[in-house]
Amino acid sequence: MDKYGFVIAFFLIVVGLPTVFGIGGEMFKRWLKHKERMAEALSAQTAEKAAQYAAHTERLEQRVRVLERIVTDHGVSLAAQIEELRTLPDAGATPARPN
């Protein structure tokens, strides 16, 4: 190997490799940061969906409780209670029990 070949090889090893690894390392750091942000966004969306499902489940449970009370309450006519439920606003309110 001649003198210039040795200088070029030395230059590539001393300057080129650290430069390539430095740029590659920065690119990897940016990629990791991007992945972290994507994971945070996904977890926020998942938490929001879980809250929506919980609220929906609560509304359904309230409706089932009303229906169970209608079916098990023998002292009130079924038609009267159904009509009473139709007049209530759809805010999850339950009718008052007659004495």
Side-chain angles (χ1 to χ4, degrees):
M1 188 190 277
D2 63 341
K3 183 177 179 182
Y4 293 111
F6 178 74
V7 171
I8 291 174
F10 179 76
F11 179 77
L12 286 175
I13 291 172
V14 170
V15 176
L17 286 178
T19 303
V20 168
F21 286 131
I23 292 171
E26 285 299 315
M27 288 173 57
F28 184 71
K29 286 179 188 176
R30 286 183 184 208
W31 179 76
L32 279 180
K33 188 149 184 92
H34 171 73
K35 286 297 213 180
E36 288 174 358
R37 277 191 254 129
M38 293 298 289
E40 289 172 0
L42 182 62
S43 67
Q45 287 176 349
T46 303
E48 182 179 335
K49 281 285 187 189
Q52 289 174 355
Y53 289 142
H56 184 67
T57 302
E58 178 62 30
R59 286 192 305 269
L60 290 175
E61 287 176 351
Q62 288 175 354
R63 294 177 83 177
V64 167
R65 281 194 290 268
V66 169
L67 293 174
E68 286 174 344
R69 195 172 68 237
I70 290 171
V71 170
T72 58
D73 193 0
H74 299 292
V76 176
S77 99
L78 182 61
Q81 262 207 316
I82 290 174
E83 288 303 318
E84 184 181 346
L85 288 174
R86 286 185 182 153
T87 62
L88 291 176
D90 192 24
T94 57
R97 285 189 154 211
N99 292 331

